[in-house]
């Protein structure tokens, strides 16, 4: 019997490392479900992005992930944008649907899905979010779309924080306010506290400068930092009795959403989690 060597690919543009956590978990998912696809990392220079998109159409890629610096520029080369992409203004996942390229953004969806898996519905919840960069923007938009009641943004740069609060207020039914971040501020009253800054990402061992005594046991505390999974921020929140959720779990949920978008299949979450944990 001959073998069918038909090639189907999924790929990442803009990330130069071969063995990153996303590769590991997507390959584990393909293996678990017996799908003969490959998740590749391909470094693309910003000046080559148009050609790269022509290439992915020509080579019939099933889809791609996009990292910085391509998340905004890539919107020029897709045929359709999902609602969250139009609100966030950036994409990290593209699906090739019979030659039509559809842009999604899963950066905040992993957060919402992680909460849902832990039995938390965002409807009516009050959230306090540290940071107003790309990760925060995606999370805020998804929380608003998931009917969160109130977002309090806390950020060092006033302009970025105010801009994000305005976006949420103008484009969604959720109420957003902004607090400038100066010194060890108190956490405002909230159900969920999120670190969406880059503080604590390996090799940084610091934690956000907040008054940790203002964290209460009723709060759910989430870090977006996946590496290390158990950050100092989460450890200090647990000392206050809060329930914590880590960025690695969020990353796996995000990967599972991408997997489903490309393949149409439910992702084997346990296999993905095991693979990524084995790499830690
Ligand atoms: P990402 O895409 O990962 O969100 P980003 O867009 O560069 O990355 O955003 C990083 C966020 O972390 C920003 O909100 C940044 O605050 P500023 O807007 O004031 O720069 C925040 N951040 C990074 N280091 C920080 C620090 N030491 N203290 C407070 N905020 C910090």
């Amino acid at each position: 019997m001959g073998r069918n060597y038909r090639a189907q690919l999924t790929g990442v543009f803009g990330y130069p490392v071969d063995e990153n956590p996303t590769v590991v978990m997507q390959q584990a998912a393909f293996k678990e479900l017996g799908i003969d696809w490959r998740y590749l990392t391909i470094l693309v220079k910003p000046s080559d992005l148009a050609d790269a998109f022509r290439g992915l159409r020509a080579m019939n890629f099933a889809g791609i992930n996009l990292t910085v610096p391509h998340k905004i520029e890539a919107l020029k080369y897709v045929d359709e944008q999902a609602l969250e992409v139009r609100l966030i203004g950036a994409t990290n996942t593209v699906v090739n649907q019979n030659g039509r390229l559809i842009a999604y953004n899963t950066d905040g969806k992993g957060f919402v899905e992680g909460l849902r898996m832990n039995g938390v519905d965002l409807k009516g919840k009050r959230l306090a979010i540290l940071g107003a960069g790309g990760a925060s923007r995606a999370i805020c938009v998804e929380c608003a779309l998931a009917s969160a009641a109130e977002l309090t943004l806390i950020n060092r740069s006033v302009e970025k924080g105010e801009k994000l609060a305005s976006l949420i207020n103008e484009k969604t039914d959720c109420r957003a306010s902004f607090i400038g971040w100066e010194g060890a501020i108190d956490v405002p009253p909230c159900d969920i506290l999120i670190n969406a800054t880059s503080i604590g990402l390996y090799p940084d061992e610091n934690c956000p400068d907040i008054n940790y005594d203002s964290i209460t046991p009723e709060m759910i505390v989430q870090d977006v930092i996946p590496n290390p999974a158990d950050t100092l921020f989460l450890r200090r929140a647990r000392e206050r009795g809060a329930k914590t959720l880590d960025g690695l779990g969020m990353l796996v949920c995000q990967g599972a959403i991408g997997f489903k978008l490309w393949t149409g299949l439910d992702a084997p979450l346990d296999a993905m989690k095991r693979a990524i944990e084995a790499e830690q």
Side-chain angles (χ1 to χ4, degrees):
M1 283 279 276
R3 291 195 61 176
N4 179 359
Y5 286 108
R6 152 188 69 91
Q8 285 185 308
L9 307 173
T10 67
V12 177
F13 281 13
Y15 203 59
V17 186
D18 267 324
E19 287 305 317
N20 70 58
T22 305
V23 176
V24 168
M25 72 177 162
Q26 295 297 350
Q27 283 298 146
F30 294 148
K31 191 171 171 203
E32 182 76 10
L33 297 191
I35 300 172
D36 59 351
W37 290 15
R38 295 287 178 275
Y39 188 101
L40 307 173
T41 54
I42 303 170
L43 180 63
V44 175
K45 284 190 245 148
S47 56
D48 290 332
L49 194 62
D51 285 341
F53 266 84
R54 273 194 286 277
L56 81 88
R57 287 177 194 269
M59 292 187 284
N60 198 26
F61 274 42
I64 55 164
N65 279 140
L66 291 142
T67 64
V68 172
H70 300 313
K71 290 183 172 189
I72 298 168
E73 199 62 15
L75 295 178
K76 285 186 189 160
Y77 309 112
V78 298
D79 301 305
E80 200 178 315
Q81 300 179 18
L83 172 63
E84 78 278 1
V85 173
R86 280 178 268 139
L87 290 171
I88 298 165
T91 177
N92 75 334
T93 304
V94 175
V95 177
N96 183 357
Q97 212 174 68
N98 303 318
R100 266 186 82 69
L101 300 186
I102 304 166
Y104 296 87
N105 195 316
T106 64
D107 279 339
K109 291 185 190 298
F111 167 74
V112 174
E113 180 60 15
L115 284 177
R116 197 191 60 77
M117 280 170 42
N118 279 279
V120 183
D121 182 358
L122 275 161
K123 194 169 189 316
K125 295 286 188 300
R126 297 164 307 161
L127 289 91
I129 299 150
L130 306 171
S136 174
R137 193 175 169 89
I139 287 173
C140 288
V141 164
E142 293 297 343
C143 288
L145 294 178
S147 304
E150 211 177 294
L151 304 178
T152 307
L153 288 159
I154 299 156
N155 201 52
R156 207 172 43 175
S157 141
V158 173
E159 198 192 332
K160 246 197 256 179
E162 284 181 341
K163 210 169 148 197
L164 181 50
S166 300
L167 171 83
I168 298 300
N169 285 324
E170 284 162 21
K171 298 282 170 71
T172 78
D173 293 333
C174 182
R175 274 166 297 138
S177 57
F178 168 71
I179 300 176
W181 193 347
E182 279 168 30
I185 53 161
D186 284 349
V187 175
C190 64
D191 305 300
I192 304 169
L193 167 68
I194 305 155
N195 172 34
T197 72
S198 43
I199 303 166
L201 181 66
Y202 181 84
D204 180 10
E205 290 177 356
N206 293 318
C207 58
D209 187 19
I210 57 171
N211 173 14
Y212 285 85
D213 288 341
S214 62
I215 293 179
T216 64
E218 297 75 34
M219 288 180 191
I220 294 171
V221 178
Q222 166 89 56
D223 205 332
V224 302
I225 301 293
N227 177 29
D230 200 26
T231 56
L232 181 57
F233 173 68
L234 293 182
R235 293 200 302 274
R236 293 191 68 179
R238 271 202 308 276
E239 279 167 19
R240 298 285 310 152
K243 178 178 168 62
T244 59
L245 297 172
D246 66 44
L248 192 63
M250 219 177 99
L251 189 72
V252 175
C253 287
Q254 188 179 323
I257 294 163
F259 182 90
K260 176 137 195 182
L261 284 170
W262 296 316
T263 65
L265 302 171
D266 284 334
L269 215 66
D270 287 343
M272 293 169 84
K273 208 167 170 188
R274 273 197 309 275
I276 210 169
E277 278 169 0
E279 291 288 314
Q280 290 293 298

